PDB file of all heavy atoms in Angstrom:
ATOM      1  N   GLN A 976      69.612 -89.540  89.012  1.00  0.00           N
ATOM      2  CA  GLN A 976      69.499 -89.196  90.453  1.00  0.00           C
ATOM      3  C   GLN A 976      69.342 -90.482  91.241  1.00  0.00           C
ATOM      4  O   GLN A 976      69.945 -90.661  92.311  1.00  0.00           O
ATOM      5  CB  GLN A 976      68.288 -88.306  90.685  1.00  0.00           C
ATOM      6  CG  GLN A 976      68.410 -86.930  90.029  1.00  0.00           C
ATOM      7  CD  GLN A 976      69.330 -86.019  90.753  1.00  0.00           C
ATOM      8  OE1 GLN A 976      69.444 -86.106  91.977  1.00  0.00           O
ATOM      9  NE2 GLN A 976      69.985 -85.127  89.992  1.00  0.00           N
ATOM     10  N   ILE A 977      68.484 -91.381  90.823  1.00  0.00           N
ATOM     11  CA  ILE A 977      68.257 -92.690  91.533  1.00  0.00           C
ATOM     12  C   ILE A 977      69.553 -93.493  91.497  1.00  0.00           C
ATOM     13  O   ILE A 977      69.942 -94.129  92.521  1.00  0.00           O
ATOM     14  CB  ILE A 977      67.102 -93.465  90.938  1.00  0.00           C
ATOM     15  CG1 ILE A 977      65.798 -92.672  91.269  1.00  0.00           C
ATOM     16  CG2 ILE A 977      67.042 -94.829  91.503  1.00  0.00           C
ATOM     17  CD1 ILE A 977      64.539 -93.381  90.759  1.00  0.00           C
ATOM     18  N   ILE A 978      70.227 -93.563  90.381  1.00  0.00           N
ATOM     19  CA  ILE A 978      71.446 -94.342  90.255  1.00  0.00           C
ATOM     20  C   ILE A 978      72.478 -93.761  91.213  1.00  0.00           C
ATOM     21  O   ILE A 978      73.209 -94.510  91.900  1.00  0.00           O
ATOM     22  CB  ILE A 978      71.926 -94.312  88.850  1.00  0.00           C
ATOM     23  CG1 ILE A 978      71.054 -95.149  87.920  1.00  0.00           C
ATOM     24  CG2 ILE A 978      73.372 -94.851  88.741  1.00  0.00           C
ATOM     25  CD1 ILE A 978      71.362 -95.040  86.438  1.00  0.00           C
ATOM     26  N   ALA A 979      72.572 -92.442  91.308  1.00  0.00           N
ATOM     27  CA  ALA A 979      73.502 -91.839  92.224  1.00  0.00           C
ATOM     28  C   ALA A 979      73.218 -92.219  93.650  1.00  0.00           C
ATOM     29  O   ALA A 979      74.144 -92.477  94.461  1.00  0.00           O
ATOM     30  CB  ALA A 979      73.510 -90.300  92.090  1.00  0.00           C
ATOM     31  N   ASN A 980      71.908 -92.243  94.001  1.00  0.00           N
ATOM     32  CA  ASN A 980      71.554 -92.658  95.387  1.00  0.00           C
ATOM     33  C   ASN A 980      71.896 -94.143  95.624  1.00  0.00           C
ATOM     34  O   ASN A 980      72.295 -94.518  96.697  1.00  0.00           O
ATOM     35  CB  ASN A 980      70.088 -92.427  95.589  1.00  0.00           C
ATOM     36  CG  ASN A 980      69.700 -90.942  95.640  1.00  0.00           C
ATOM     37  OD1 ASN A 980      70.560 -90.148  96.017  1.00  0.00           O
ATOM     38  ND2 ASN A 980      68.552 -90.566  95.293  1.00  0.00           N
ATOM     39  N   LEU A 981      71.674 -94.967  94.577  1.00  0.00           N
ATOM     40  CA  LEU A 981      71.975 -96.386  94.701  1.00  0.00           C
ATOM     41  C   LEU A 981      73.411 -96.640  94.984  1.00  0.00           C
ATOM     42  O   LEU A 981      73.819 -97.402  95.838  1.00  0.00           O
ATOM     43  CB  LEU A 981      71.536 -97.115  93.456  1.00  0.00           C
ATOM     44  CG  LEU A 981      70.065 -97.261  93.200  1.00  0.00           C
ATOM     45  CD1 LEU A 981      69.803 -97.907  91.858  1.00  0.00           C
ATOM     46  CD2 LEU A 981      69.397 -98.013  94.291  1.00  0.00           C
ATOM     47  N   THR A 982      74.276 -95.985  94.204  1.00  0.00           N
ATOM     48  CA  THR A 982      75.693 -96.212  94.394  1.00  0.00           C
ATOM     49  C   THR A 982      76.184 -95.714  95.709  1.00  0.00           C
ATOM     50  O   THR A 982      77.242 -96.150  96.199  1.00  0.00           O
ATOM     51  CB  THR A 982      76.419 -95.582  93.244  1.00  0.00           C
ATOM     52  OG1 THR A 982      76.167 -94.193  93.184  1.00  0.00           O
ATOM     53  CG2 THR A 982      76.110 -96.241  91.907  1.00  0.00           C
ATOM     54  N   GLY A 983      75.478 -94.810  96.301  1.00  0.00           N
ATOM     55  CA  GLY A 983      75.940 -94.243  97.601  1.00  0.00           C
ATOM     56  C   GLY A 983      75.288 -94.969  98.781  1.00  0.00           C
ATOM     57  O   GLY A 983      75.902 -94.913  99.865  1.00  0.00           O
ATOM     58  N   GLU A 984      74.136 -95.616  98.603  1.00  0.00           N
ATOM     59  CA  GLU A 984      73.424 -96.224  99.717  1.00  0.00           C
ATOM     60  C   GLU A 984      73.569 -97.749  99.824  1.00  0.00           C
ATOM     61  O   GLU A 984      73.254 -98.342 100.814  1.00  0.00           O
ATOM     62  CB  GLU A 984      71.966 -95.877  99.615  1.00  0.00           C
ATOM     63  CG  GLU A 984      71.668 -94.369  99.816  1.00  0.00           C
ATOM     64  CD  GLU A 984      70.202 -94.085  99.687  1.00  0.00           C
ATOM     65  OE1 GLU A 984      69.388 -95.057  99.591  1.00  0.00           O
ATOM     66  OE2 GLU A 984      69.844 -92.937  99.742  1.00  0.00           O
ATOM     67  N   GLY A 985      74.070 -98.366  98.723  1.00  0.00           N
ATOM     68  CA  GLY A 985      74.295 -99.800  98.819  1.00  0.00           C
ATOM     69  C   GLY A 985      73.129-100.658  98.417  1.00  0.00           C
ATOM     70  O   GLY A 985      72.105-100.239  97.939  1.00  0.00           O
ATOM     71  N   ALA A 986      73.296-101.945  98.607  1.00  0.00           N
ATOM     72  CA  ALA A 986      72.369-102.946  98.133  1.00  0.00           C
ATOM     73  C   ALA A 986      70.981-102.861  98.781  1.00  0.00           C
ATOM     74  O   ALA A 986      69.941-103.113  98.164  1.00  0.00           O
ATOM     75  CB  ALA A 986      72.941-104.358  98.257  1.00  0.00           C
ATOM     76  N   ALA A 987      70.990-102.460 100.047  1.00  0.00           N
ATOM     77  CA  ALA A 987      69.695-102.326 100.822  1.00  0.00           C
ATOM     78  C   ALA A 987      68.775-101.293 100.158  1.00  0.00           C
ATOM     79  O   ALA A 987      67.598-101.506  99.968  1.00  0.00           O
ATOM     80  CB  ALA A 987      69.944-102.068 102.304  1.00  0.00           C
ATOM     81  N   ALA A 988      69.417-100.147  99.839  1.00  0.00           N
ATOM     82  CA  ALA A 988      68.651 -99.064  99.194  1.00  0.00           C
ATOM     83  C   ALA A 988      68.238 -99.495  97.832  1.00  0.00           C
ATOM     84  O   ALA A 988      67.136 -99.197  97.393  1.00  0.00           O
ATOM     85  CB  ALA A 988      69.520 -97.768  99.159  1.00  0.00           C
ATOM     86  N   THR A 989      69.110-100.279  97.126  1.00  0.00           N
ATOM     87  CA  THR A 989      68.731-100.726  95.818  1.00  0.00           C
ATOM     88  C   THR A 989      67.459-101.565  95.823  1.00  0.00           C
ATOM     89  O   THR A 989      66.601-101.456  95.020  1.00  0.00           O
ATOM     90  CB  THR A 989      69.910-101.526  95.219  1.00  0.00           C
ATOM     91  OG1 THR A 989      71.064-100.710  95.184  1.00  0.00           O
ATOM     92  CG2 THR A 989      69.541-101.985  93.782  1.00  0.00           C
ATOM     93  N   GLU A 990      67.493-102.500  96.771  1.00  0.00           N
ATOM     94  CA  GLU A 990      66.325-103.401  96.909  1.00  0.00           C
ATOM     95  C   GLU A 990      65.054-102.610  97.230  1.00  0.00           C
ATOM     96  O   GLU A 990      63.987-102.840  96.653  1.00  0.00           O
ATOM     97  CB  GLU A 990      66.585-104.449  97.990  1.00  0.00           C
ATOM     98  CG  GLU A 990      65.454-105.392  98.217  1.00  0.00           C
ATOM     99  CD  GLU A 990      65.793-106.472  99.269  1.00  0.00           C
ATOM    100  OE1 GLU A 990      66.894-106.365  99.800  1.00  0.00           O
ATOM    101  OE2 GLU A 990      64.980-107.302  99.547  1.00  0.00           O
ATOM    102  N   ARG A 991      65.137-101.614  98.135  1.00  0.00           N
ATOM    103  CA  ARG A 991      63.998-100.846  98.510  1.00  0.00           C
ATOM    104  C   ARG A 991      63.435-100.042  97.334  1.00  0.00           C
ATOM    105  O   ARG A 991      62.218 -99.992  97.071  1.00  0.00           O
ATOM    106  CB  ARG A 991      64.378 -99.865  99.636  1.00  0.00           C
ATOM    107  CG  ARG A 991      63.214 -99.019 100.160  1.00  0.00           C
ATOM    108  CD  ARG A 991      63.593 -98.167 101.329  1.00  0.00           C
ATOM    109  NE  ARG A 991      64.554 -97.204 101.014  1.00  0.00           N
ATOM    110  CZ  ARG A 991      65.820 -97.244 101.346  1.00  0.00           C
ATOM    111  NH1 ARG A 991      66.323 -98.220 102.036  1.00  0.00           N
ATOM    112  NH2 ARG A 991      66.660 -96.224 100.990  1.00  0.00           N
ATOM    113  N   ILE A 992      64.289 -99.384  96.537  1.00  0.00           N
ATOM    114  CA  ILE A 992      63.880 -98.612  95.365  1.00  0.00           C
ATOM    115  C   ILE A 992      63.394 -99.478  94.268  1.00  0.00           C
ATOM    116  O   ILE A 992      62.392 -99.130  93.596  1.00  0.00           O
ATOM    117  CB  ILE A 992      65.008 -97.666  94.933  1.00  0.00           C
ATOM    118  CG1 ILE A 992      65.346 -96.704  96.067  1.00  0.00           C
ATOM    119  CG2 ILE A 992      64.677 -96.900  93.671  1.00  0.00           C
ATOM    120  CD1 ILE A 992      66.472 -95.714  95.729  1.00  0.00           C
ATOM    121  N   ALA A 993      64.031-100.591  94.062  1.00  0.00           N
ATOM    122  CA  ALA A 993      63.599-101.510  92.969  1.00  0.00           C
ATOM    123  C   ALA A 993      62.206-101.949  93.201  1.00  0.00           C
ATOM    124  O   ALA A 993      61.356-102.030  92.329  1.00  0.00           O
ATOM    125  CB  ALA A 993      64.564-102.681  92.897  1.00  0.00           C
ATOM    126  N   ARG A 994      61.876-102.355  94.456  1.00  0.00           N
ATOM    127  CA  ARG A 994      60.519-102.763  94.777  1.00  0.00           C
ATOM    128  C   ARG A 994      59.499-101.642  94.686  1.00  0.00           C
ATOM    129  O   ARG A 994      58.380-101.823  94.284  1.00  0.00           O
ATOM    130  CB  ARG A 994      60.481-103.456  96.164  1.00  0.00           C
ATOM    131  CG  ARG A 994      61.136-104.790  96.177  1.00  0.00           C
ATOM    132  CD  ARG A 994      61.268-105.363  97.569  1.00  0.00           C
ATOM    133  NE  ARG A 994      61.770-106.739  97.523  1.00  0.00           N
ATOM    134  CZ  ARG A 994      62.273-107.346  98.592  1.00  0.00           C
ATOM    135  NH1 ARG A 994      62.329-106.714  99.742  1.00  0.00           N
ATOM    136  NH2 ARG A 994      62.754-108.555  98.476  1.00  0.00           N
ATOM    137  N   GLY A 995      59.973-100.442  95.104  1.00  0.00           N
ATOM    138  CA  GLY A 995      59.112 -99.286  94.979  1.00  0.00           C
ATOM    139  C   GLY A 995      58.828 -98.963  93.546  1.00  0.00           C
ATOM    140  O   GLY A 995      57.800 -98.372  93.192  1.00  0.00           O
ATOM    141  N   ALA A 996      59.765 -99.325  92.605  1.00  0.00           N
ATOM    142  CA  ALA A 996      59.563 -99.027  91.183  1.00  0.00           C
ATOM    143  C   ALA A 996      58.638-100.083  90.501  1.00  0.00           C
ATOM    144  O   ALA A 996      58.403-100.027  89.331  1.00  0.00           O
ATOM    145  CB  ALA A 996      60.874 -98.976  90.486  1.00  0.00           C
ATOM    146  N   GLY A 997      58.247-101.045  91.288  1.00  0.00           N
ATOM    147  CA  GLY A 997      57.355-102.047  90.733  1.00  0.00           C
ATOM    148  C   GLY A 997      58.066-103.255  90.213  1.00  0.00           C
ATOM    149  O   GLY A 997      57.446-104.118  89.505  1.00  0.00           O
ATOM    150  N   GLY A 998      59.344-103.362  90.419  1.00  0.00           N
ATOM    151  CA  GLY A 998      60.106-104.493  89.863  1.00  0.00           C
ATOM    152  C   GLY A 998      60.352-105.543  90.941  1.00  0.00           C
ATOM    153  O   GLY A 998      60.097-105.362  92.156  1.00  0.00           O
ATOM    154  N   GLU A 999      60.917-106.655  90.515  1.00  0.00           N
ATOM    155  CA  GLU A 999      61.308-107.665  91.420  1.00  0.00           C
ATOM    156  C   GLU A 999      62.810-107.741  91.534  1.00  0.00           C
ATOM    157  O   GLU A 999      63.521-107.616  90.494  1.00  0.00           O
ATOM    158  CB  GLU A 999      60.764-109.052  90.978  1.00  0.00           C
ATOM    159  CG  GLU A 999      59.237-109.122  90.893  1.00  0.00           C
ATOM    160  CD  GLU A 999      58.792-110.460  90.399  1.00  0.00           C
ATOM    161  OE1 GLU A 999      59.699-111.280  90.099  1.00  0.00           O
ATOM    162  OE2 GLU A 999      57.590-110.690  90.383  1.00  0.00           O
ATOM    163  N   VAL A1000      63.294-107.974  92.721  1.00  0.00           N
ATOM    164  CA  VAL A1000      64.728-108.014  92.921  1.00  0.00           C
ATOM    165  C   VAL A1000      65.255-109.415  92.503  1.00  0.00           C
ATOM    166  O   VAL A1000      64.672-110.393  92.959  1.00  0.00           O
ATOM    167  CB  VAL A1000      65.078-107.709  94.378  1.00  0.00           C
ATOM    168  CG1 VAL A1000      66.572-107.797  94.587  1.00  0.00           C
ATOM    169  CG2 VAL A1000      64.545-106.365  94.758  1.00  0.00           C
ATOM    170  N   GLY A1005      73.064-110.661  94.531  1.00  0.00           N
ATOM    171  CA  GLY A1005      73.011-109.424  95.347  1.00  0.00           C
ATOM    172  C   GLY A1005      71.983-108.487  94.782  1.00  0.00           C
ATOM    173  O   GLY A1005      72.172-107.235  94.769  1.00  0.00           O
ATOM    174  N   GLY A1006      70.768-108.973  94.346  1.00  0.00           N
ATOM    175  CA  GLY A1006      69.782-108.075  93.836  1.00  0.00           C
ATOM    176  C   GLY A1006      70.027-107.623  92.434  1.00  0.00           C
ATOM    177  O   GLY A1006      69.522-106.619  91.945  1.00  0.00           O
ATOM    178  N   GLY A1007      70.845-108.312  91.716  1.00  0.00           N
ATOM    179  CA  GLY A1007      71.110-107.968  90.279  1.00  0.00           C
ATOM    180  C   GLY A1007      72.201-106.924  90.112  1.00  0.00           C
ATOM    181  O   GLY A1007      72.503-106.551  88.996  1.00  0.00           O
ATOM    182  N   LEU A1008      72.859-106.517  91.199  1.00  0.00           N
ATOM    183  CA  LEU A1008      73.863-105.472  91.089  1.00  0.00           C
ATOM    184  C   LEU A1008      75.178-106.010  90.685  1.00  0.00           C
ATOM    185  O   LEU A1008      76.044-105.220  90.243  1.00  0.00           O
ATOM    186  CB  LEU A1008      73.998-104.786  92.448  1.00  0.00           C
ATOM    187  CG  LEU A1008      72.707-104.028  92.951  1.00  0.00           C
ATOM    188  CD1 LEU A1008      73.034-103.341  94.278  1.00  0.00           C
ATOM    189  CD2 LEU A1008      72.332-103.003  91.883  1.00  0.00           C
ATOM    190  N   LEU A1022      74.722-102.319  87.504  1.00  0.00           N
ATOM    191  CA  LEU A1022      73.304-102.444  87.785  1.00  0.00           C
ATOM    192  C   LEU A1022      72.625-103.355  86.734  1.00  0.00           C
ATOM    193  O   LEU A1022      72.996-103.334  85.589  1.00  0.00           O
ATOM    194  CB  LEU A1022      72.611-101.041  87.789  1.00  0.00           C
ATOM    195  CG  LEU A1022      73.021-100.079  88.864  1.00  0.00           C
ATOM    196  CD1 LEU A1022      72.303 -98.775  88.712  1.00  0.00           C
ATOM    197  CD2 LEU A1022      72.717-100.682  90.261  1.00  0.00           C
ATOM    198  N   PHE A1026      66.526-103.767  85.768  1.00  0.00           N
ATOM    199  CA  PHE A1026      66.180-102.789  86.734  1.00  0.00           C
ATOM    200  C   PHE A1026      66.183-101.406  86.109  1.00  0.00           C
ATOM    201  O   PHE A1026      65.271-100.574  86.324  1.00  0.00           O
ATOM    202  CB  PHE A1026      67.184-102.826  87.872  1.00  0.00           C
ATOM    203  CG  PHE A1026      67.049-101.757  88.881  1.00  0.00           C
ATOM    204  CD1 PHE A1026      65.899-101.626  89.648  1.00  0.00           C
ATOM    205  CD2 PHE A1026      68.009-100.763  89.023  1.00  0.00           C
ATOM    206  CE1 PHE A1026      65.764-100.599  90.567  1.00  0.00           C
ATOM    207  CE2 PHE A1026      67.874 -99.773  89.959  1.00  0.00           C
ATOM    208  CZ  PHE A1026      66.734 -99.649  90.725  1.00  0.00           C
ATOM    209  N   GLN A1029      63.067-101.030  84.098  1.00  0.00           N
ATOM    210  CA  GLN A1029      61.945-100.752  84.894  1.00  0.00           C
ATOM    211  C   GLN A1029      61.861 -99.306  85.346  1.00  0.00           C
ATOM    212  O   GLN A1029      60.775 -98.711  85.323  1.00  0.00           O
ATOM    213  CB  GLN A1029      61.949-101.674  86.192  1.00  0.00           C
ATOM    214  CG  GLN A1029      61.734-103.151  85.876  1.00  0.00           C
ATOM    215  CD  GLN A1029      62.102-104.029  87.008  1.00  0.00           C
ATOM    216  OE1 GLN A1029      62.527-103.546  88.068  1.00  0.00           O
ATOM    217  NE2 GLN A1029      61.947-105.303  86.907  1.00  0.00           N
ATOM    218  N   LEU A1030      62.981 -98.728  85.640  1.00  0.00           N
ATOM    219  CA  LEU A1030      63.012 -97.303  85.969  1.00  0.00           C
ATOM    220  C   LEU A1030      62.617 -96.429  84.772  1.00  0.00           C
ATOM    221  O   LEU A1030      61.866 -95.490  84.903  1.00  0.00           O
ATOM    222  CB  LEU A1030      64.405 -96.909  86.430  1.00  0.00           C
ATOM    223  CG  LEU A1030      64.856 -97.387  87.835  1.00  0.00           C
ATOM    224  CD1 LEU A1030      66.285 -96.908  88.118  1.00  0.00           C
ATOM    225  CD2 LEU A1030      63.928 -96.897  88.881  1.00  0.00           C
ATOM    226  N   GLN A1033      58.962 -96.621  84.396  1.00  0.00           N
ATOM    227  CA  GLN A1033      58.250 -95.919  85.491  1.00  0.00           C
ATOM    228  C   GLN A1033      58.187 -94.411  85.239  1.00  0.00           C
ATOM    229  O   GLN A1033      57.156 -93.770  85.403  1.00  0.00           O
ATOM    230  CB  GLN A1033      58.971 -96.182  86.825  1.00  0.00           C
ATOM    231  CG  GLN A1033      58.337 -95.398  87.986  1.00  0.00           C
ATOM    232  CD  GLN A1033      59.185 -95.495  89.230  1.00  0.00           C
ATOM    233  OE1 GLN A1033      60.293 -96.005  89.225  1.00  0.00           O
ATOM    234  NE2 GLN A1033      58.718 -94.948  90.314  1.00  0.00           N
TER     235      GLN A1033
END
Side-chain angles (χ1 to χ4, degrees):
Q976 295 283 329
I977 290 180
I978 290 174
N980 291 333
L981 290 176
T982 56
E984 294 179 5
T989 304
E990 181 177 0
R991 183 175 65 252
I992 296 178
R994 287 174 175 163
E999 296 181 356
V1000 180
L1008 296 180
L1022 292 179
F1026 173 66
Q1029 291 167 0
L1030 289 179
Q1033 178 190 5

